[in-house]
Each structure stands twice: as structure tokens, then as C-alpha cells.
Amino acid sequence: MIEGHVPVADIRRLLEERPDAVGLAVPGMPYGSPGMGPESEREAYEVFLIRRDGSTEVYASYSAV
């Protein structure tokens, strides 16, 4: 599953790597994430990998621009 404004590159990476996970999530609506304004002015945000046991880990990080 994909929840939130997850960049396409991270979805493609997930499909390529096929980790033992439920999906990816971006909490909130970070400015500059896909569909939330220009990436050239984005705020920092993280994409989380959600494991089958409910734990999460940072899958990708995007710095503020």
C-alpha cells in the first residue's frame, strides 16, 4: 500500500527491491512533496517503510530546499 504523497521514485524502488513490507507512507502533507507545491521550495520530509509487524523505518529522506 502507498499512503500519502510518496514520490514515484520511491514507489519504483519498492517494486524493484521487494522488501518484506506492507508499503510506504509519508505522514502529513509536506510542502513540496508530490502534489503539494513545487519541489524547488519543499520542506524536509521522510518516506517511511511499513514492515509487516507494524514497525517503521526511514526509507528515503528529502531535505528542505
Side-chain angles (χ1 to χ4, degrees), residues 15-61:
L15 293 173
E16 249 181 53
E17 295 178 356
R18 301 244 182 238
D20 185 27
V22 174
L24 300 175
V26 173
M29 299 171 76
Y31 186 75
S33 62
M36 292 302 301
E39 287 185 42
S40 61
E41 300 177 24
R42 75 172 175 243
E43 64 185 343
Y45 68 96
E46 295 176 325
V47 177
F48 292 94
L49 180 71
I50 303 169
R51 297 276 182 195
R52 293 191 184 280
D53 67 0
S55 64
T56 62
E57 64 183 71
V58 175
Y59 192 68
S61 294

